[in-house]
Amino acid sequence: MATAPDAVLTFQSKFARDDVEGELACFSQRFREQSGGLSLQGYATLRDRFLAPLGGFGRCVLRRNSLDDNLVAVEGGDGLHLRLVYSLFGNAFEVAAAAEARFTFPDPDGVATGAPFTPRDVSLEPRGASPPRRLVVHWNMPAEAARRLVATGLAWAEVGNEWRLEGLTPLEETPKEGEPAAVPAAAGAVRVVSRAPLPVREIGSSFGSVRLRVELELGDAAACMRALPDGTLLVAGGADAPRLRWESGESSSTGAADPR
């Protein structure tokens, strides 16, 4: 999601439709891992506890009234974390949001698809080099689709920051309502890093799922990758962080579709 309120509103729309899988997708990978590697089944159990601060009335309002009109405060300016304060009929709560990077690529039918961007799935190589020369991404796909990508390579790939949710906390007092501070976007303009073939390799398979690998040359965009203490990688630049895009030579000549 481009902004933290976008993440909240997306969660709200999924909640209104009882789309539990869609709700889970609104949370950061860090939140899921800190919750014990949160699975869909695990979230279904955690869901009631997560929403408990809203109470029954708050849940009813969450299903029916857009929170877009209830944002009363925005705090945090490091480009990585935000605290959003909402007020529902005199009951206030804060939502913690964090920026995290996301890898996006076209599936074999050209549909933009996302893959996790966690320390076990991505790395900068050569390891320890400063600056690194390439970003390596691993991900899993169903075997048939994965092998089609291996045969054709990627038409394009992007890495950019998005906002995800990390927590919900009730507040004892409702802050004075006023114009909330401007909400930063997670990523700035697209920066095309290179136009070169993007071959995909199969590096393993299990139970109908194939693990893929792509190497993305960074060139002078190496300074745009930031490693956090926990090993998480982000696109650097705070609120002005670009979306880094790689295009194959073929896609650059024919005009690749925008993944959004």
Side-chain angles (χ1 to χ4, degrees):
M1 281 65 86
T3 68
D6 287 343
V8 175
L9 294 176
T10 300
F11 174 85
Q12 183 182 21
S13 68
K14 302 298 183 184
F15 176 70
R17 296 196 296 269
D18 277 321
D19 180 355
V20 179
E21 184 174 3
E23 292 175 28
L24 179 59
C26 294
F27 292 96
S28 70
Q29 292 292 329
R30 185 183 300 106
F31 174 85
R32 298 190 208 185
E33 292 175 1
Q34 290 176 345
S35 300
L38 195 58
S39 64
L40 182 59
Q41 183 178 4
Y43 173 67
T45 303
L46 177 69
R47 186 178 187 236
D48 286 340
R49 187 171 39 148
F50 179 79
L51 294 170
L54 294 176
F57 179 71
R59 293 192 196 198
C60 180
V61 172
L62 191 63
R63 290 186 185 276
R64 299 176 182 274
N65 292 25
S66 173
L67 285 177
D68 195 28
D69 300 325
N70 300 97
L71 179 62
V72 297
V74 179
E75 299 178 8
D78 63 356
L80 300 180
H81 302 89
L82 278 181
R83 175 178 175 266
L84 309 175
V85 179
Y86 289 87
S87 177
L88 290 174
F89 296 95
N91 297 307
F93 61 93
E94 69 174 45
V95 177
E100 71 174 21
R102 184 170 179 80
F103 174 62
T104 309
F105 63 96
D107 71 8
D109 297 316
V111 178
T113 305
F117 205 76
T118 63
R120 66 176 176 273
D121 298 309
V122 299
S123 61
L124 295 172
E125 295 187 356
R127 294 183 183 274
S130 182
R133 291 200 298 269
R134 68 187 69 90
L135 174 67
V136 177
V137 185
H138 300 101
W139 73 100
N140 295 325
M141 289 186 72
E144 190 274 336
R147 284 165 182 153
R148 287 171 63 189
L149 281 186
V150 170
T152 62
L154 294 178
W156 54 263
E158 278 196 5
V159 174
N161 298 340
E162 295 184 345
W163 286 103
R164 290 291 190 270
L165 306 182
E166 294 210 322
L168 173 67
T169 305
L171 300 177
E172 294 182 0
E173 297 182 358
T174 303
K176 295 181 180 179
E177 296 194 19
E179 286 294 324
V183 179
V190 175
R191 174 177 175 178
V192 177
V193 178
S194 70
R195 291 183 170 91
L198 298 172
V200 177
R201 290 199 294 124
E202 177 180 336
I203 59 173
S205 62
S206 177
F207 300 105
S209 176
V210 169
R211 189 151 180 84
L212 300 176
R213 171 187 173 103
V214 66
E215 298 183 4
L216 304 172
E217 295 297 327
L218 289 168
D220 62 3
C224 292
M225 296 306 304
R226 174 179 179 182
L228 300 183
D230 64 359
T232 301
L233 295 180
L234 286 172
V235 181
D240 298 320
R243 283 188 293 132
L244 302 179
R245 181 179 176 96
W246 292 260
E247 298 177 349
S248 72
E250 180 180 353
S251 67
S252 64
S253 61
T254 59
D258 191 300
R260 296 173 299 169

